[in-house]
Amino acid sequence: MPWAYFLLALQLASPAFAGIKEVWWNLTYVENANPDGLHERRVIGVNGTWPPPPLDITNNDSLIVHAFNSLSEPTTIHHHGMFFNASTWFDGANGVSQCGIPPGHSFDYVVPTNSSGQWGTYWVHAHSSGHYVDGLRAPFLIHPSTEVYSYDAEYTIVLSDWYHEEHSVLIKRFINIANPTGNEPIPDAALMYFAQDSSYLGPISGKKPAPVTSHVGFNENATLPFEPGKTYRLRIVNTGAFAAFYFWIDGHKMRIIEADGTDVDEHPIDLLSVTVAQRYSVLVTARNDTDSNWAIHANMDTVMFDHVPATLQPNLTSSITYNSSASLTDLGSVDAYQDFNDTALVPVVVEPMLPTDRTVELEVSFTTMDDGTNRAMFNQVSYHSPLVPTALSVLTLGPNATVATAYGTGGIVLDHLSAVQIILKNGDIGKHPFHIHGHKVQLVNRVQNYSSTDPTLNPPIVEGQANPMRRDTVQVPPGSSVALRVVADNPGAWLLHCHIEWHFEGGLAVTFVEAPLQMQQRATTIQAPPDSLRQQCLSQNLPASGNAAGHASATDLSGLQLGPFLQKSGFHTKGILAMTGCVLTAVLGMLTVAWYSMSGALSEEEVEREVRAAHAAKLNRRRLFGLVKRK
């Protein structure tokens, strides 16, 4: 290996004589994948196969993923939930930590799990051009030397929505003037499949799935073998792009023991909601009888969908097998879904509630912008990826690295070791899963209605909590808010974004530029970025230094896309014409109603229906011109 990586390997191997696990991933297209049995399509896999292999290591080892890009466009790999202390450039967020691996090039991702103090259930996925929507995603497990809970065996359960068209097609349809209300692409199917150790479980014996993915059991072709009386750890990972899931097992009880890599006190639960990018571990004790097999359910949360197509089956069923000759017991659906309140979880490792010396409020909104497309925003600003990755801007701006405007849209500079409170306010009518890179956050408050004056709906934050829940992905329901706390002790550039891929690409993100001067210092004294970080930007004709636009300035952002912007208030030519049309339509409608009323042709019920229809048409026109929140 190169000399720089030899030195790095010595550093990684030093804690407790740790080892290094290396994997070689050739990122490739795989043709004719058909995991749902409904439609063949091209996907993105590893080494010519799909799905990409699970990663399974111990926390005494460090991981190096040697990624070679055989795709036709740049890509990246993000190890979701990893801290990457002093090495933010390995985080894999395109435009923030790197420019992306160009086609025909490689990049080595060094994941220092032996020194991060992390273990539990994570996942790895592309963080560029929506490639994870096209299949570049896999579970990533880190085992401690001693687990908090004992169990006989474990399985990983992968949940995901699934699209029959490629992301490149879907995103053009989503961010388009023909979609002014911002209706997200609705999945064509859902997937559930299982892994153990470093491989996936095959299909049920006797089944004949599609050839390209025939080595993996999906949905009704997938089963978990159970033995009577044994206790199993089930690690549940939602690797989807849009849909949350409700998960339960007929005839069995579940106890939550982990969420997003945080061990928690046992928490019994009958039905578990798992939003995009979240992970849970549950303990399940097998039954003592073997006269029946039992259904495993994972139903998509369709509330976020604009509509549910007749062709979509949102409810998945796999199984637990005790006896291959026994019948399957399926108790059907549940009476009602309910989202799990994760503030009820209590971490095993106690960390008291942090004090705070700074509050960052971020309010979610969506609207039709001045270019006719619907965009997502924090504080009425839609995020755009910079030309220069934020990490390289920090390293090359010198003292200007502390100026937030240097990072373009969505840059928030945090002082080193400041205790930051983040208030996420969801002004949208849909649920949103927010993920922060480089950290876990304390979840210190949930508010049902942040605009209410009723303290039962909008309770104040209770200070001095003994041990609030910690995780890296938090769901915020519509109209509600959450309060998060974190210490800025990890110098680097870290995204906070909605993990619904369509919303992230629509602009629902900010970048925390954390302790930029300390990051510069550590890059010279602890660990320098690899040379390929800069070279791969230049090879794509992208700048590799300066501010977000590539200038040695804190304020000159010329050449960087900053729009589209909110529509300007007041009447303009298009608005006047639109309003004129609306008024004429309304007048004609009223005259028609009056004429029918005078003629005695309309009953009171018919008049009411006419008025309601006119109101609905008016509301729809307001949506089209961005005057109300999106549907």
Side-chain angles (χ1 to χ4, degrees), residues 177-300:
I177 60 173
N179 184 31
T181 54
N183 294 330
E184 301 88 350
I186 297 171
D188 296 293
L191 300 178
M192 175 164 43
Y193 51 108
F194 307 136
Q196 189 175 42
D197 300 326
S198 297
S199 61
Y200 294 107
L201 273 63
I204 295 174
S205 179
K207 301 289 184 177
K208 295 182 179 180
V212 173
T213 51
S214 61
H215 61 292
V216 180
F218 293 97
N219 302 349
E220 70 277 2
N221 291 334
T223 192
L224 294 178
F226 268 28
E227 296 182 28
K230 287 192 174 181
T231 296
Y232 295 87
R233 178 176 186 163
L234 306 182
R235 301 176 184 262
I236 306 159
V237 187
N238 185 343
T239 67
F242 186 20
F245 284 85
Y246 295 101
F247 179 89
W248 74 98
I249 305 174
D250 287 343
H252 296 73
K253 296 183 181 297
M254 301 186 294
R255 295 111 65 196
I256 299 173
I257 60 167
E258 179 226 352
D260 292 2
T262 299
D263 292 322
V264 298
D265 293 347
E266 283 195 30
H267 186 96
I269 193 164
D270 296 320
L271 179 145
L272 182 62
S273 59
V274 189
T275 193
V276 172
Q278 284 186 334
R279 296 88 63 206
Y280 286 97
S281 285
V282 297
L283 292 181
V284 176
T285 299
R287 301 169 65 93
N288 289 319
D289 57 285
T290 62
D291 55 353
S292 178
N293 301 319
W294 294 86
I296 301 174
H297 298 274
N299 292 2
M300 284 198 287

Side-chain angles (χ1 to χ4, degrees), residues 394 397-407 413-415 513 515-517 520 554:
V394 173
L397 279 172
N400 281 338
T402 61
V403 182
T405 55
Y407 302 104
V413 176
L414 302 179
D415 293 335
V513 182
L517 299 184
Q520 293 174 4

Side-chain angles (χ1 to χ4, degrees), residues 115-138:
S115 60
S116 66
Q118 294 179 268
W119 58 84
T121 309
Y122 300 90
W123 61 302
V124 56
H125 62 86
H127 214 300
S128 176
S129 302
H131 288 160
Y132 100 80
V133 182
D134 290 332
L136 189 45
R137 57 200 187 195

Side-chain angles (χ1 to χ4, degrees), residues 430-448:
K431 307 171 187 178
H432 294 278
F434 291 104
H435 170 55
I436 186 169
H437 291 223
H439 288 279
K440 286 181 188 175
V441 290
Q442 291 185 338
L443 180 51
V444 300
N445 197 33
R446 281 194 178 274
V447 163
Q448 186 176 343

